[in-house]
Amino acid sequence: MKALVHLLSRTKLYWGLLLICLIGALISPHTSSGHNIFLSYGNLTDVLRQVSITGLVATGMTMVILLGGIDLSVGSVMGFSTVICAMLLTKPGWTSASVMGVPAAILVGGAAVALAARFVFAGLARGRYVSAGRRREVSLTRWQSMGIPGLLGLLAAIAIGWWTMNQVPAKFGVLGVLLIAPCLAMVLGGINGLLIVAGRLQPFIATLAMMVSALGIARLTAGSDNAVVPVYTGTNATEAFELLRSMLWGVLPVPSVFFLAAICLFGAILRFTTFGRYAYAIGGNIEAARLSGIKVAQVQLTAYLLSGLLAGIAGVLFVAQYRQGKPDAGTGLELDAIAAVVIGGTSLMGGRGGLAGTFVGVLIFGLLSDILQLQNIDSNVQLVMKGLIIVCTVLVQEQNLGQLVARWRFRRSGEAQADPRTAEPHRPPSAAKAQLAREDLDEAS
Amino acid sequence: MADNIFLGREPLIGGVLIDRRRMVRAAERLLARLGVMIAPDTRIAGLRVGEQQLVEIAKALSLNARILIMDEPTSALSSSECDTLSKIVRQLAREGVAIIYTSHRIEEVLELADRVTVLRDGRRVVTARIDELSRGAIISAMVGREMAANERGATARDGAVVLSVQDLTLDTLGPHGWRRMLHGVSFELKRGEILGIGGLLGSGRTEILESIFGVARGWRTGSIAIDGAAVDISSPSDAYHLGIALVSEDRKERGLHLAASICDNVALPSIGALARFGLRTFARERALAADMIKRLSVRCTGIGQQAAALSGGNQQKVVIGKWLATEPRILLLDEPTRGIDIGAKQEIYRLIFDLAAQGLGIIVVTSEMPELLLLSDRILVMCEGGQTGILARENATQETVMRLAAPGMANWSQEAAS
């Protein structure tokens, strides 16, 4: 019995998902031929497609929240990314998008390659020492830690520069935008991280500032306040961009492939790498983590960089999905993402939760709006329902179900025996306290 | 401070506005009664743990309660503050307040209590009037067995200096401008030596350890050398790579990730070195943790148990274990036995002796005089941020240490507070 309650309590999130699926299947309308629309393959993949953008953003958000931070800027950063992506696709030459994007890609690409090279050297060196039975970390030679990685980074930067510059006079292709837009978003994420790590700003404040200014930057980039940059694949943009909204081998929508890949990749990173463990440790107790010799600043910066990166990718997918880029594309997205993360059981205090929960949280939202749409319910009712879902799931999440059951049983048994301790009347403490405090004060004055 | 003391019961003007003047004056009175000379508008965050504890006690006093429950009220206090507190406790008892006083310090219990209840493992072992129980009877009731007296085991000191600190100075930016927390601190630590640091609360004991470990806030000057080579330690990560470990004063706030398992806690500083290409090696981590809990005899259900579920003594062992796992050469212990029961204390003492015998250089900061005298080979005494002397074990007694720690005995409480 106890084990069962424990099991139920641990897996309650999945039961919630199952419940929503059941409700959806039961009340779903049927086609004329008697097929259940909700359970049809097309409908379910559509849900996946629709949650992908929020899902990608929520993936980055999960890591930031695990660290005890928050990233309010993801919506604006995604909007910025859609503008960049749409402009790169449709406007040839040195537009504001390519002027910002090409240097950003060179910078981020070069830095990424250099860091990757250094990481490999560090891994090789440490491996040797562990096998020799020593545990103290080894320091790399200057050539290994700076020289070769720096050289490789420079080469990568030159290659990226050459490749992107060549595309500027014409329009950018799929790979071009998939490189440049996320790189620019990563720069914004990096600014967030630096403000928090080096400037010692509260994450809430720093990312709030970025949220406001990224929207401004996006509007300035697009050239007017409520600019919409339409993308018509085949006419004003490359036909190949259609790929990003198609079905992969007719099985899965491409956006959801990105989403699932991100969940799996970052889930594995959180579970199996030292970075993941450090993230949990910092979220759990930042002082203890710092005193344990963890480079807290590095981990925090990485998380905000990744959050920006994922928001940037989400922006490209948005352009593919809705065939336009606009500065306010991501308005409110950050809150949807935070809600999904919280429903997934990740604590806003940090240190507890994970990406499996976020995946379920995102799906719960997606399925809910799908069910309501199938019922033709007003979209404003959907908003109210969303709010209710957030409150209910978090209530269930926070209260340990096993504890709830135990408390309920204890109370019942207590009532049956008419426990004298609880039956005893006691005077209301507040009045008495107030009286005493007043006396104390009068004495003082 | 005043805000904290009267939180939720603020004196009001016309039922809405807070009467700050009356509140501050009342707070002043309460604090004076406790012998604390801190201005009531000081921020709590700027106080040391012990001073915060006194504020908490003032808050309890302000309630004018008929029953007062005090849970380890002195665990963070220096001895002069403890004296003040026990005076107040006795006075309150005379005024007719019933007091439940929980403590790990047997001397306090013997001194204050009328009746004693001993609990062990959540069960009541004995309740009796104080005059019916001897000190030994209480201890054996607590531990469940007779304790052997402590003996400092034979030490193997090869004389090599592992850490030397020259002219350490620390300035910290506080609410009232820069304050000099440390000045002119110089000492050497040899392999296999236990150096105790004594002094009153706020005399800069913790700051020495924090400066060596690279976590002290503020501007630090002076030189630190390890194995004779000057080093620059600006973060715990630097200290870790040099083989320094710090077990901090506040294990819950700064030592443990309470929601995580014992295994995760023990392995945390080591996983970077155990990992390859950033991938964790779970088998090695578990082996490390299992080895540590065996070596330190941590009482737990297994390495998967949550750190929050452990008793104070076992949590402390986990914190020590997590540092021993990094194979340090210098171990800094800040109040290693604060708030843990007497059985676990003995085990930690024995552990410290063992580690010293294995050649670690150990620095211990403690407020408990018997502990300081028991553990240390030499005692460095601090007073108001300055080093007032280093005593060899042979010359160290309660009196000699105290004379160095508080040269002007008359205005003790002021020094403790400042």
Side-chain angles (χ1 to χ4, degrees):
Chain A
M1 177 62 196
K2 212 172 151 190
L4 188 71
V5 169
H6 186 66
L7 189 73
L8 280 177
S9 155
R10 282 194 57 166
T11 55
K12 58 198 164 190
L13 197 60
Y14 304 98
W15 294 104
L17 185 63
L18 206 67
L19 188 72
I20 284 215
C21 287
L22 264 179
I23 294 173
L26 286 179
I27 65 172
S28 145
H30 290 71
T31 56
S32 49
S33 55
H35 286 295
N36 189 320
I37 295 180
F38 178 80
L39 289 179
S40 69
Y41 191 72
N43 181 54
L44 291 179
T45 49
D46 257 4
V47 171
L48 256 185
R49 178 195 292 274
Q50 256 147 29
V51 300
S52 295
I53 290 168
T54 324
L56 271 174
V57 172
T59 305
M61 186 71 79
T62 307
M63 285 184 287
V64 171
I65 288 181
L66 268 181
L67 277 160
I70 198 150
D71 190 349
L72 296 177
S73 69
V74 283
S76 296
V77 171
M78 190 202 99
F80 175 61
S81 164
T82 65
V83 171
I84 295 289
C85 171
M87 286 180 73
L88 290 178
L89 282 170
T90 55
K91 303 203 166 120
W94 286 103
T95 58
S96 48
S98 51
V99 167
M100 282 190 287
V102 170
I106 292 173
L107 188 79
V108 174
V113 169
L115 286 175
R118 197 183 155 170
F119 177 74
V120 169
F121 277 120
L124 288 174
R126 193 161 322 154
R128 255 204 318 276
Y129 267 69
V130 167
S131 56
R134 284 272 304 275
R135 230 188 274 117
R136 197 146 307 284
E137 215 160 327
V138 293
S139 47
L140 300 173
T141 61
R142 175 150 298 195
W143 188 236
Q144 280 175 324
S145 70
M146 307 293 289
I148 299 176
L151 221 61
L152 286 175
L154 204 65
L155 279 177
I158 291 169
I160 292 170
W162 184 76
W163 183 61
T164 46
M165 300 274 202
N166 271 345
Q167 296 194 52
V168 169
K171 297 165 184 171
F172 277 87
V174 185
L175 286 178
V177 295
L178 265 179
L179 174 74
I180 292 178
C183 281
L184 255 180
M186 222 166 157
V187 170
L188 295 188
I191 295 174
N192 274 335
L194 283 178
L195 285 175
I196 291 159
V197 167
R200 304 265 168 109
L201 281 180
Q202 294 272 354
F204 191 98
I205 309 290
T207 57
L208 181 70
M210 179 56 76
M211 168 182 166
V212 177
S213 44
L215 183 63
I217 299 171
R219 283 181 178 162
L220 288 172
T221 311
S224 74
D225 269 15
N226 28 19
V228 174
V229 186
V231 176
Y232 305 112
T233 47
T235 56
N236 74 349
T238 164
E239 180 91 49
F241 194 63
E242 193 69 13
L243 178 78
L244 289 184
R245 67 192 302 274
S246 62
M247 299 283 274
L248 187 68
W249 303 307
V251 182
L252 272 175
V254 173
S256 68
V257 174
F258 275 87
F259 171 44
L260 294 176
I263 287 277
C264 294
L265 177 66
F266 289 105
I269 285 178
L270 284 180
R271 178 85 184 80
F272 295 114
T273 67
T274 51
F275 171 81
R277 174 69 192 114
Y278 292 160
Y280 279 97
I282 292 170
N285 188 342
I286 186 164
E287 267 309 303
R290 181 173 290 129
L291 285 176
S292 298
I294 294 173
K295 290 175 178 148
V296 174
Q298 235 174 47
V299 177
Q300 281 177 324
L301 183 61
T302 310
Y304 286 97
L305 277 171
L306 290 176
S307 178
L309 171 75
L310 287 166
I313 296 175
V316 177
L317 295 179
F318 181 93
V319 175
Q321 192 65 33
Y322 299 99
R323 298 202 160 111
Q324 54 174 282
K326 51 181 182 180
D328 54 359
T331 308
L333 183 72
E334 60 281 341
L335 299 181
D336 277 353
I338 293 171
V341 172
V342 169
I343 285 184
T346 299
S347 159
L348 276 181
M349 307 297 290
R352 265 187 317 129
L355 273 176
T358 300
F359 182 61
V360 174
V362 168
L363 278 188
I364 285 180
F365 264 170
L367 289 171
L368 181 77
S369 49
D370 181 60
I371 292 168
L372 296 175
Q373 265 163 19
L374 287 177
Q375 301 293 321
N376 269 330
I377 291 173
D378 187 9
S379 68
N380 292 322
V381 177
Q382 287 186 30
L383 291 180
V384 179
M385 292 287 283
K386 265 191 186 178
L388 279 177
I389 292 266
I390 294 174
V391 172
C392 294
T393 43
V394 174
L395 269 182
V396 177
Q397 288 283 346
E398 292 298 312
Q399 301 278 341
N400 193 330
L401 214 59
Q403 273 176 13
L404 267 181
V405 171
R407 203 181 303 158
W408 177 71
R409 277 177 156 179
F410 183 77
R411 201 169 292 163
R412 269 200 22 184
S413 65
E415 275 164 15
Q417 293 163 11
D419 195 326
R421 279 171 307 182
T422 53
E424 191 179 339
H426 54 88
R427 64 176 187 166
S430 55
K433 255 187 214 169
Q435 176 69 35
L436 286 167
R438 214 167 295 133
E439 281 167 13
D440 192 56
L441 288 162
D442 290 341
E443 249 178 275
S445 53
Chain B
M1 248 159 90
D3 292 308
N4 263 282
I5 293 174
F6 290 103
L7 183 65
R9 312 171 280 117
E10 293 90 349
L12 300 178
I13 302 174
V16 273
L17 294 171
I18 294 178
D19 187 347
R20 279 208 69 87
R21 264 185 43 216
R22 215 143 65 100
M23 188 162 87
V24 167
R25 228 175 306 142
E28 247 163 22
R29 221 185 96 261
L30 282 167
L31 292 169
R33 211 165 129 193
L34 281 171
V36 187
M37 297 300 162
I38 312 173
D41 52 356
T42 316
R43 284 185 182 280
I44 295 288
L47 302 178
R48 282 258 160 231
V49 185
E51 294 162 342
Q52 290 176 358
Q53 187 84 341
L54 286 173
V55 173
E56 190 67 13
I57 292 167
K59 184 174 172 181
L61 287 179
S62 77
L63 286 165
N64 279 355
R66 288 184 306 159
I67 301 175
L68 188 57
I69 304 177
M70 307 178 93
D71 188 1
E72 296 284 353
T74 57
S75 65
L77 299 186
S78 69
S79 54
S80 67
E81 289 162 332
C82 289
D83 290 345
T84 326
L85 181 73
S86 61
K87 255 177 242 148
I88 289 163
V89 168
R90 262 187 242 114
Q91 187 194 334
L92 286 174
R94 270 199 303 278
E95 286 166 11
V97 180
I99 297 164
I100 302 175
Y101 190 98
T102 319
S103 178
H104 277 116
R105 297 187 181 171
I106 296 183
E107 287 79 14
E108 269 172 33
V109 174
L110 290 170
E111 191 184 323
L112 289 173
D114 297 316
R115 282 193 309 142
V116 183
T117 292
V118 177
L119 298 172
R120 189 174 70 229
D121 304 330
R123 284 210 320 269
R124 191 177 60 110
V125 183
V126 65
T127 300
R129 293 198 56 81
I130 195 77
D131 38 23
E132 293 165 15
L133 279 177
S134 70
R135 184 194 156 86
I138 295 178
I139 293 180
S140 59
M142 279 168 70
V143 187
R145 58 185 183 274
E146 295 286 340
M147 285 303 305
N150 275 290
E151 279 293 318
R152 171 80 160 96
T155 52
R157 265 172 284 166
D158 60 7
V161 174
V162 64
L163 170 77
S164 91
V165 173
Q166 278 300 321
D167 214 15
L168 188 68
T169 309
L170 178 74
D171 292 291
T172 304
L173 189 59
H176 306 296
W178 288 94
R179 245 181 78 188
R180 180 146 285 201
M181 306 299 286
L182 289 177
H183 52 88
V185 176
S186 306
F187 61 88
E188 288 183 337
L189 179 71
K190 299 192 181 75
R191 268 177 52 104
E193 184 185 39
I194 303 175
L195 177 72
I197 299 184
L200 300 178
L201 197 73
S203 59
R205 301 172 310 186
T206 300
E207 283 78 5
I208 296 180
L209 300 190
E210 287 180 348
S211 301
I212 296 173
F213 201 65
V215 280
R217 271 164 290 183
W219 181 250
R220 195 188 70 200
T221 58
S223 62
I224 296 174
I226 288 180
D227 291 338
V231 291
D232 176 28
I233 303 171
S234 58
S235 72
S237 152
D238 293 343
Y240 160 74
H241 288 301
L242 290 165
I244 306 177
L246 169 71
V247 175
S248 68
E249 165 180 34
D250 196 336
R251 63 177 163 266
K252 283 192 178 143
E253 286 297 317
R254 311 185 69 184
L256 287 172
H257 178 188
L258 288 170
S261 67
I262 294 176
C263 177
D264 281 344
N265 270 296
V266 170
L268 185 58
S270 317
I271 57 173
L274 289 178
R276 193 169 182 190
F277 291 115
L279 288 175
R280 289 170 70 186
T281 44
F282 292 97
R284 281 216 193 96
E285 286 176 25
R286 275 195 297 271
L288 188 73
D291 180 43
M292 272 307 146
I293 64 170
K294 211 172 107 196
R295 199 166 140 197
L296 304 181
S297 55
V298 178
R299 266 171 286 284
C300 57
T301 57
I303 55 171
Q305 196 181 6
Q306 221 189 6
L310 296 173
S311 71
N314 284 313
Q315 282 182 350
Q316 187 70 20
K317 287 186 200 162
V318 169
V319 179
I320 295 177
K322 107 178 186 183
W323 281 113
L324 289 186
T326 67
E327 293 169 9
R329 286 175 302 161
I330 299 166
L331 184 61
L332 313 176
L333 300 167
D334 196 356
E335 303 283 0
T337 62
R338 198 180 109 197
I340 66 179
D341 68 67
I342 208 164
K345 257 185 198 178
Q346 302 290 336
E347 288 179 54
I348 286 180
Y349 294 159
R350 219 163 285 146
L351 177 70
I352 293 174
F353 292 144
D354 283 351
L355 291 171
Q358 286 163 26
L360 266 76
I362 299 174
I363 302 182
V364 182
V365 165
T366 172
S367 294
E368 289 186 41
M369 189 65 80
E371 183 172 296
L372 187 68
L373 296 172
L374 172 79
L375 290 175
S376 318
D377 293 324
R378 286 188 303 152
I379 298 176
L380 185 154
V381 187
M382 296 291 296
C383 177
E384 293 181 345
Q387 175 182 343
T388 46
I390 296 183
L391 294 167
R393 187 180 178 80
E394 307 82 69
N395 311 332
T397 61
Q398 295 240 8
E399 202 182 310
T400 50
V401 171
M402 219 52 222
R403 203 173 296 145
L404 288 173
M409 297 286 256
N411 44 6
W412 250 29
S413 53
Q414 268 171 353
E415 274 168 19
S418 63

